[in-house]
Amino acid sequence: MFLFDAINSSLQTILNHKFRSLLTLLGILIGITSVVAMFSSVNGIRLVIAENIEGMGWTNMLVVNSGAQRGMRGRGFGRMGGMQTAARRAIPLTYRDYEALREELDTKYIYGMVESWNRNPISREWFRVRATNEDYFHANTFYLKEGRFFNAFELSRGMKVAIVGPTFSEDHFKGEDPLGKYYTTGGHRYQIIGILDEDPLNKAGTMQFNPWQRNWDLQAVYIPLRTGAMYLSQNMSINYIAMHSHDSEGFADMRNRATQILLARRNMNRDFSFQDVSAEILQFTQQMDEMLKNWGIALFIIATVSLLVGGIGLFSTLLISINERMIEIGIRKSVGARDLDIFFYFIIESVTLSAIAAIIGIILGLLLTQALGMALKTTIPISILSIYLGIGFAFLIGFLSGLYPAIKASKINPIQAIYYFE
């Protein structure tokens, strides 16, 4: 009952001095808003980056190239290095190597790649013909808009069928539906069985992850890997083989097993190299984490300064209110209120003011987080930790700011308080 009376009295005091209470709350409110927005946005952006990196097919990824490791080119990830085709040596990777790895390895995804640049005879624009399998589309988060992926018969027999990107469809068929039609390129005629959808990871207004490369991917024509090995290269050779382990724990085992298989097939000649994309991506994510950490520190400093300013304002307000409430203090003590009761009345008023600021600040912080999510066209999850921290900071600032005024008010002589204004 005492606690309820104390809170009720605090709310009445706050409502009787609305403007002063608002100014008192402002610093704490800004600080709490910063704390909530900071943690939610930093964690949310980190999550968005992780999801997009996984969607790009870069997580737990290992690429096998023929020849010794050297400067590479072809399929870059910008500054992150990337999966690129190594210079070919005497014994390139073959479709049989891919089949052996696919049959004997336990992988999440595995696909080979054969690439060839062709030119449209009408528009004179260049585009790529890429031979791969269905795992490529799943690993890189490309979805079908129409049609279907390659079936087992088409993959095993090297059938002349194709899946085209939406950009290729628009550029080469001028608004017509290409599904089921034939397209001739490189002297071979392919039936189009599927059309890829727009890029789900690089929509306008969202975070862009390697958009240049993915735009090229959506302008390409995709054919079965065996078909590409038969018609786009010599001796059934392929450019590279990409593998994804189920998780990071199985990555090393996948690499060791792949090494054993390839050495056994190549008479113990190590004429192949590995491109550890996961290590490069880890370096990139560490750099991003460091940048986000610095951003978080800057926001935390702003939040701390705002909370300190708010605490000082609350402290000053409570000291001033002691003089205004002298008669009230004297009357409360004269009817039996103890020093401890007066102490708790002021502490509870201080904490109540901070709690109100925390509630408003948390709401504003959540709204800012949602606004950031809308700007990035993604969903940023709310950080429960930030809400707990906001509430914790509010109670701590409220208690510390009200401690001295509460002690001072509790020590006032009731007779002097009653006759304070006379």
Side-chain angles (χ1 to χ4, degrees):
M1 192 66 182
F2 169 77
L3 181 62
F4 176 78
D5 289 340
I7 295 175
N8 185 50
S9 175
S10 301
L11 291 175
Q12 287 179 357
T13 303
I14 293 170
L15 292 174
N16 290 335
H17 303 85
K18 297 181 182 66
F19 188 69
R20 185 180 71 185
S21 298
L22 176 62
L23 294 178
T24 303
L25 297 175
L26 198 56
I28 300 177
L29 187 151
I30 293 173
I32 300 299
T33 301
S34 300
V35 168
V36 174
M38 172 190 71
F39 277 89
S40 294
S41 60
V42 169
N43 290 337
I45 291 174
R46 186 179 286 112
L47 181 62
V48 169
I49 291 173
E51 288 178 346
N52 277 271
I53 285 175
E54 184 175 0
M56 292 287 184
W58 298 338
T59 305
N60 301 321
M61 180 181 182
L62 183 69
V63 178
V64 186
N65 296 289
S66 57
Q69 184 119 11
R70 57 170 60 187
M72 299 178 184
R73 54 188 181 168
R75 179 170 170 75
F77 292 142
R79 294 186 179 182
M80 293 181 290
M83 181 178 69
Q84 301 167 322
T85 306
R88 290 187 179 181
R89 293 298 180 90
I91 307 177
L93 292 171
T94 67
Y95 182 77
R96 298 301 180 189
D97 293 328
Y98 159 76
E99 282 190 322
L101 291 173
R102 186 177 185 87
E103 290 173 2
E104 299 187 43
L105 287 179
D106 179 22
T107 60
K108 182 179 180 181
Y109 303 118
I110 180 169
Y111 57 88
M113 184 66 70
V114 179
E115 294 185 321
S116 173
W117 283 92
N118 288 356
R119 196 170 191 177
N120 188 320
I122 300 176
S123 64
R124 311 299 294 172
E125 295 180 354
W126 288 94
F127 64 93
R128 285 188 295 186
V129 177
R130 313 187 74 190
T132 188
N133 62 303
E134 187 173 337
D135 276 4
Y136 169 82
F137 303 107
H138 296 321
N140 291 275
T141 319
F142 287 124
Y143 302 116
L144 281 175
K145 181 180 180 181
E146 294 183 67
R148 60 176 176 83
F149 289 119
F150 309 124
N151 59 38
F153 180 79
E154 292 163 343
L155 289 169
S156 63
R157 296 296 181 180
M159 303 296 291
K160 292 184 179 180
V161 292
I163 297 170
V164 300
T167 308
F168 180 91
S169 175
E170 293 171 3
D171 292 343
H172 294 258
F173 288 91
K174 306 302 181 183
E176 297 181 10
D177 186 2
L179 197 63
K181 295 183 178 178
Y182 288 85
Y183 187 81
T184 300
T185 181
H188 300 281
R189 190 166 178 255
Y190 302 94
Q191 183 180 21
I192 298 174
I193 62 170
I195 305 170
L196 296 178
D197 205 348
E198 298 293 337
D199 189 359
L201 301 182
N202 285 309
K203 296 179 180 178
T206 63
M207 273 188 171
Q208 300 291 302
F209 286 82
N210 203 24
W212 179 84
Q213 174 62 45
R214 289 181 70 86
N215 286 337
W216 273 114
D217 292 343
L218 294 176
Q219 293 175 14
V221 174
Y222 296 90
I223 61 177
L225 180 61
R226 185 181 179 89
T227 307
M230 291 168 59
Y231 300 115
L232 302 182
S233 64
Q234 296 179 351
N235 302 320
M236 297 292 287
S237 64
I238 59 178
N239 298 133
Y240 61 82
I241 302 169
M243 300 172 288
H244 297 250
S245 63
H246 292 283
D247 48 46
S248 57
E249 288 75 16
F251 183 83
D253 289 340
M254 180 185 73
R255 176 170 182 154
N256 292 335
R257 182 64 181 141
T259 302
Q260 294 171 0
I261 294 170
L262 291 175
L263 287 175
R265 288 186 53 79
R266 292 166 174 265
N267 298 320
M268 304 306 292
N269 291 322
R270 199 181 181 92
D271 53 356
F272 58 89
S273 60
F274 290 116
Q275 181 78 18
D276 191 346
V277 178
S278 295
E280 297 169 1
I281 295 304
L282 179 61
Q283 182 180 3
F284 166 72
T285 53
Q286 288 174 342
Q287 293 174 351
M288 291 297 298
D289 282 342
E290 186 66 25
M291 183 184 72
L292 291 173
K293 180 181 177 181
N294 294 334
W295 183 22
I297 291 173
L299 289 175
F300 185 77
I301 292 172
I302 294 172
T304 302
V305 171
S306 298
L307 287 169
L308 289 175
V309 171
I312 293 170
L314 180 57
F315 173 81
S316 303
T317 300
L318 291 173
L319 278 181
I320 294 171
S321 70
I322 291 176
N323 294 332
E324 295 178 348
R325 300 166 66 181
M326 275 293 184
I327 294 178
E328 178 189 343
I329 295 170
I331 294 174
R332 285 180 182 273
K333 283 198 167 187
S334 66
V335 296
R338 299 168 300 170
D339 289 354
L340 187 61
D341 297 329
I342 300 300
F343 174 84
F344 275 115
Y345 270 115
F346 274 82
I347 283 292
I348 289 173
E349 180 179 335
S350 176
V351 172
T352 301
L353 273 167
S354 294
I356 293 173
I359 292 171
I360 299 173
I362 288 170
I363 293 172
L364 290 177
L366 296 179
L367 291 175
L368 284 175
T369 303
Q370 294 302 311
L372 178 62
M374 292 175 64
L376 296 176
K377 294 190 177 179
T378 188
T379 300
I380 295 181
I382 302 301
S383 173
I384 302 299
L385 176 62
S386 68
I387 296 177
Y388 289 151
L389 284 175
I391 295 172
F393 274 127
F395 278 96
L396 180 63
I397 293 294
F399 179 79
L400 294 178
S401 299
L403 187 59
Y404 175 75
I407 294 173
K408 182 177 179 180
S410 67
K411 300 298 182 183
I412 294 174
N413 186 289
I415 302 300
Q416 293 177 347
I418 291 176
Y419 293 102
Y420 181 77
F421 292 103
E422 295 187 5

